[in-house]
Amino acid sequence: MADTHPRPSRRCVFASFRASHVILRRMSLRRNLLSLCLILSFATLPLRARVLRVEISSRADILAGQPFGQAGPYERITGRIYFSLPISNAHNQQIVDLDKAINLENGEVQFSSDFIAVRPKDPQKSNGSLILEVPNRGRGRIIALIDGGDWDLAKDPGDAWLLRNGFTIVTLGWQWDASGADALKFFAPIAKDHGKTITGLLRGDLMPSKVMPEIPLGHLIIGSIGGSEYPVASPDDPRNVLTVRDSRNAPRAVIPRSEWQFAHTVDGKLTLSDRHIHLNGGFQPGKIYEYVYVVADPIVAGGGFAAIRDFASYAKHAKGSITPATRVYGQGISQNGRFLRDFLYQGFNADEEGRIALDGVLAHVAGAGRGSFNYRFAQPSRDAQPTSSVSYPTDIFPFTDLPERDPVTGESGLLDRAAAEKVLPKIFFSNTSYEYWGRAAALIHTTADGKHDAPISPNVRVYHFTGLQHFSGPFPPAKGPGDLLGQQPESPLPIRFFWRAMIANMDAWVRANTAPPESSYPRIADGTLVPFKDYAPPAIPGLNRPHEANEANHLDFGPNWRQGILSIQPPKVSEPFPVLVPQVDADGNERDGIRLPQIAVPLATYTSWNLRDPSIGAPNERVSFEDSYLPFPKTAADREKSNDPRKSVAERYPNKEDYLARFAKALDVLVHQHWVLEQDRATLLHEAEQAWDTATK
């Protein structure tokens, strides 16, 4: 995976040039501007954050130059951006194996990233704020999520809220193992120890939802490859081990080596493969299979942090930046919310000159997590799910923004380094109901012993979006497909409107110091956050309850794992942190947090979990990422017939008009408190009508 930066034969050819050559070459560049791609570069200085050059592979007007409000026409630019990191700069020295990169030359290491930029054609018409999307598994989707149109704006811009408000949006590859032809990738060198190959142990796991004769070594997420991972380096090494167990905390049973091999079926024939495992009789649904194997040539993965950092500084400070900005907001969902938490923890919000990189951070559905982003043999795609990616360096201490001390490790707070370097951004840590069960989210606002609510720093807001799941489910509500098939339909509550308000609130906070809504989350002090054993949902007919929730544990990957070297696989697992979950009301809906009108004026119960359908195995285990949607009985007769303890729809609301009036009143509260934008009121009222019709038909 070494990035030697070859000159492509079918793309525009670019060369870096220094400031002294700009004038001499300007005329030739102008002559070729319409037929070739744009070259952007600037002088490079030693020990300074910089972009070496930008290669543009495509540049096109969005929707044939259609104007979007005061920002006018937009354009979409794709290409690759090149970085160089001096290993002697103090802000780069936490990157694991940077000094061992095979392309180390003159004290510097080069990396590159794919990017997509959406910006006003006239940069002077932008609002000065750039949203820097950290893409999930290499796929940028924030524009589609917020505006409701195409992710690439090819045909449908949705309502173009981001564009009409003048934002610049950049999606930048940071993940070396992002897979798929459309993934934005991060190109990083491998590391060697004075020319010698570095080897180690790597681990993967999964619970299939159907019989599979073989599995890929890459991380399977929602039925597809989320990370390409490393090939096996020594197939016959006795350290290669395959185990099986019934659940996350069940004992492992070793599968004899004679029953499996590194192989893949091609055209009906079993063929040796360094990226697949074949098991005689197949991998069975409802079982967790875990494999440990020998790998070689680690990628210098931590350079992805520097790419985000240096692009932010480039956008704000470089003369001639392709995306000039006054303010940069880092935005990440799930994996990339964890990336941003780790980015801050590891001290990357100070660029090589000590300036603040990200002015704002919106880390969504990250729970208490960080991730495998800056380790030797890092696996960025691995996360933490109920039945896979178990015991990875994800939900690990520290959790809170203000300093806290773990008596086991002695570590302190998440934002200590940013605070010490005076580069604290404004931060939103937002989670849905799912993360309290699947990602130990309570730990971000409680003491580590689970006994007290923790203080929150003035520059941080913690938001709990009640009744929502990790990603928004479909409407009308339906069960998830494949690996996501649950016993109940998914929660359909939308995150889109909260996102728009959060971005508007963050922009006002950074731009004008206009305070956003105060933190809103469940608390120990008022009984809205309780130990798992005290969780008390109603006895809804046909609803099976989970037997546990994900916990964060103390992990030990070996003597040097805090320095990025993991030598014990699987790790030693010791004392867990307490598991606290939001308490519910008589309907089974959570009592706290930011409640859409669908929760404040309910037609259904939205649990924070969904159990696996028996057809995919392990029906006592929770489905990854999902909540459950359980509609109320329609009438009192229906309620009595099923012995449902919840009031029926007819007993709550005399008619549709009454329901819509109550919905509108609850919605007005959210608009007044800046949780929802006024312009989204009509859309939500229309969705309320659809919800009523679905609940009463």
Side-chain angles (χ1 to χ4, degrees):
M1 289 288 296
D3 184 5
T4 56
H5 311 317
R7 296 178 181 270
S9 59
R10 295 187 180 184
R11 295 179 64 185
C12 299
V13 180
F14 303 84
S16 179
F17 56 87
R18 296 188 181 275
S20 60
H21 297 162
V22 171
I23 296 176
L24 295 177
R25 302 184 67 175
R26 184 172 295 162
M27 294 303 295
S28 62
L29 284 174
R30 285 178 175 171
R31 287 193 300 269
N32 291 291
L33 189 59
L34 296 178
S35 59
L36 296 178
C37 301
L38 180 68
I39 299 174
L40 294 175
S41 183
F42 54 91
T44 60
L45 299 173
L47 303 183
R48 297 283 181 94
R50 69 231 183 256
V51 169
L52 289 182
R53 66 186 187 276
V54 176
E55 292 183 357
I56 296 178
S57 56
S58 70
R59 188 169 199 155
D61 291 348
I62 291 173
L63 298 179
Q66 171 185 324
F68 295 95
Q70 297 297 315
Y74 266 71
E75 60 182 344
R76 185 175 187 270
I77 306 168
T78 70
R80 188 183 292 188
I81 189 163
Y82 292 82
F83 307 90
S84 186
L85 303 179
I87 65 172
S88 60
N89 188 287
H91 298 282
N92 296 328
Q93 290 177 359
Q94 66 269 44
I95 299 174
V96 175
D97 287 333
L98 182 66
D99 60 341
K100 296 179 176 61
I102 61 171
N103 65 345
L104 174 62
E105 184 176 351
N106 298 324
E108 300 196 6
V109 178
Q110 290 194 21
F111 300 81
S112 64
S113 296
D114 293 330
F115 77 91
I116 299 172
V118 174
R119 49 157 267 185
K121 286 198 70 174
D122 181 356
Q124 298 299 316
K125 292 185 177 181
S126 78
N127 68 3
S129 299
L130 185 153
I131 298 173
L132 182 51
E133 179 183 19
V134 183
N136 194 303
R137 276 84 184 177
R139 289 160 178 83
R141 295 294 184 265
I142 192 62
I143 294 177
L145 174 62
I146 292 176
D147 287 357
D150 300 330
W151 70 271
D152 59 357
L153 299 169
K155 297 179 180 179
D156 180 11
D159 69 358
W161 182 84
L162 287 169
L163 279 60
R164 288 186 289 106
N165 282 282
F167 287 99
T168 296
I169 306 97
V170 174
T171 308
L172 186 71
W174 64 272
Q175 182 180 344
W176 76 266
D177 66 337
S179 62
D182 64 338
L184 298 178
K185 296 180 174 62
F186 176 63
F187 301 91
I190 65 171
K192 289 188 178 292
D193 187 4
H194 297 91
K196 296 181 180 179
T197 298
I198 298 173
T199 62
L201 293 177
L202 205 62
R203 180 171 57 100
D205 65 6
L206 84 163
M207 178 181 279
S209 60
K210 60 184 178 181
V211 177
M212 300 175 66
E214 55 249 350
I215 59 175
L217 295 179
H219 180 208
L220 278 175
I221 181 167
I222 315 182
S224 61
I225 295 289
S228 58
E229 309 298 0
Y230 287 87
V232 60
S234 182
D236 298 324
D237 194 296
R239 291 174 292 175
N240 300 329
V241 176
L242 179 65
T243 64
V244 62
R245 63 191 191 273
D246 292 330
S247 65
R248 197 169 64 245
N249 296 319
R252 297 171 173 85
V254 175
I255 299 175
R257 188 65 177 85
S258 59
E259 295 185 15
W260 63 276
Q261 58 186 307
F262 293 100
H264 185 45
T265 302
V266 180
D267 297 329
K269 296 181 179 180
L270 194 62
T271 304
L272 294 179
S273 169
D274 61 359
R275 293 185 181 272
H276 296 83
I277 296 177
H278 176 88
L279 176 62
N280 297 343
F283 295 87
Q284 301 301 308
K287 303 285 186 181
I288 296 180
Y289 294 89
E290 182 180 72
Y291 48 91
V292 176
Y293 65 109
V294 177
V295 289
D297 293 331
I299 305 294
V300 185
F305 282 134
I308 295 296
R309 176 197 70 190
D310 290 352
F311 185 87
S313 284
Y314 158 80
K316 291 193 293 185
H317 303 299
K319 187 176 181 180
S321 166
I322 192 172
T323 53
T326 304
R327 300 162 292 277
V328 176
Y329 309 139
Q331 177 274 326
I333 297 174
S334 189
Q335 175 202 40
N336 313 302
R338 293 186 291 108
F339 175 97
L340 288 169
R341 284 174 59 85
D342 215 4
F343 176 95
L344 295 170
Y345 172 71
Q346 297 201 37
F348 282 95
N349 208 38
D351 70 11
E352 290 179 355
E353 296 184 50
R355 301 170 299 190
I356 188 170
L358 301 177
D359 304 283
V361 166
L362 300 98
H364 183 58
V365 295
R370 292 188 279 125
S372 183
F373 306 131
N374 185 25
Y375 293 95
R376 180 175 292 177
F377 298 111
Q379 301 183 78
S381 188
R382 301 285 176 177
D383 45 18
Q385 299 180 41
T387 56
S388 69
S389 293
V390 179
S391 298
Y392 282 81
T394 302
D395 298 323
I396 55 176
F397 192 92
F399 308 111
T400 60
D401 53 288
L402 288 174
E404 59 178 337
R405 188 168 183 81
D406 182 0
V408 176
T409 65
E411 289 188 287
S412 189
L414 188 77
L415 303 181
D416 287 3
R417 296 188 191 186
E421 295 189 276
K422 295 181 172 55
V423 290
L424 276 174
K426 309 294 188 184
I427 301 171
F428 292 163
F429 290 136
S430 56
N431 288 287
T432 68
S433 295
Y434 171 82
E435 284 74 50
Y436 282 86
W437 288 75
R439 301 304 323 285
L443 287 168
I444 72 173
H445 53 74
T446 67
T447 55
D449 61 10
K451 295 181 179 180
H452 305 283
D453 297 307
I456 305 297
S457 61
N459 65 299
V460 172
R461 297 291 188 271
V462 175
Y463 296 145
H464 169 215
F465 296 128
T466 306
L468 276 69
Q469 63 181 34
H470 195 71
F471 52 81
S472 297
F475 186 86
K479 293 184 178 182
D483 295 341
L484 297 177
L485 181 59
Q487 295 178 17
Q488 309 296 335
E490 301 178 50
S491 169
L493 298 185
I495 189 62
R496 175 188 179 195
F497 306 104
F498 286 141
W499 258 118
R500 290 150 75 106
M502 281 198 296
I503 288 175
N505 292 337
M506 176 62 75
D507 195 44
W509 199 14
V510 174
R511 180 194 299 268
N513 203 31
T514 301
E518 291 299 317
S519 295
S520 182
Y521 54 86
R523 300 171 191 267
I524 296 171
D526 63 8
T528 55
L529 186 69
V530 297
F532 172 79
K533 66 180 179 62
D534 295 333
Y535 175 69
I540 300 174
L543 178 65
N544 296 312
R545 291 179 56 176
H547 62 89
E548 49 81 64
N550 274 38
E551 58 192 12
N553 291 89
H554 288 91
L555 303 175
D556 181 3
F557 290 93
N560 298 313
W561 88 273
R562 299 291 178 178
Q563 289 74 50
I565 312 299
L566 284 62
S567 56
I568 298 177
Q569 293 282 13
K572 298 176 183 178
V573 179
S574 56
E575 181 183 2
F577 293 92
V579 177
L580 301 175
V581 297
Q583 188 57 283
V584 295
D585 60 21
D587 291 327
N589 289 318
E590 292 169 346
R591 293 164 46 194
D592 72 285
I594 306 151
R595 297 156 61 96
L596 280 170
Q598 291 94 323
I599 297 290
V601 186
L603 295 170
T605 296
Y606 302 86
T607 72
S608 310
W609 39 268
N610 199 341
L611 298 184
R612 291 167 62 94
D613 188 88
S615 67
I616 65 172
N620 293 325
E621 302 297 326
R622 288 171 290 113
V623 182
S624 297
F625 313 123
E626 287 186 0
D627 293 353
S628 297
Y629 167 83
L630 298 132
F632 294 154
K634 292 181 175 62
T635 65
D638 293 336
R639 172 177 59 77
E640 292 169 0
K641 182 178 180 180
S642 63
N643 198 30
D644 196 318
R646 303 169 299 166
K647 284 185 177 181
S648 68
V649 173
E651 291 173 294
R652 295 167 187 265
Y653 315 107
N655 50 47
K656 182 176 183 178
E657 289 70 26
D658 177 73
Y659 169 74
L660 292 178
R662 296 192 200 186
F663 189 102
K665 185 176 181 180
L667 178 56
D668 288 343
V669 172
L670 291 180
V671 172
H672 176 73
Q673 295 175 343
H674 300 287
W675 297 117
V676 172
L677 302 179
E678 170 64 35
Q679 64 195 74
D680 291 327
R681 187 177 184 277
T683 302
L684 278 163
L685 285 173
H686 176 67
E687 292 187 1
E689 292 194 55
Q690 294 178 310
W692 174 270
D693 293 342
T694 298
T696 57
K697 69 179 180 181

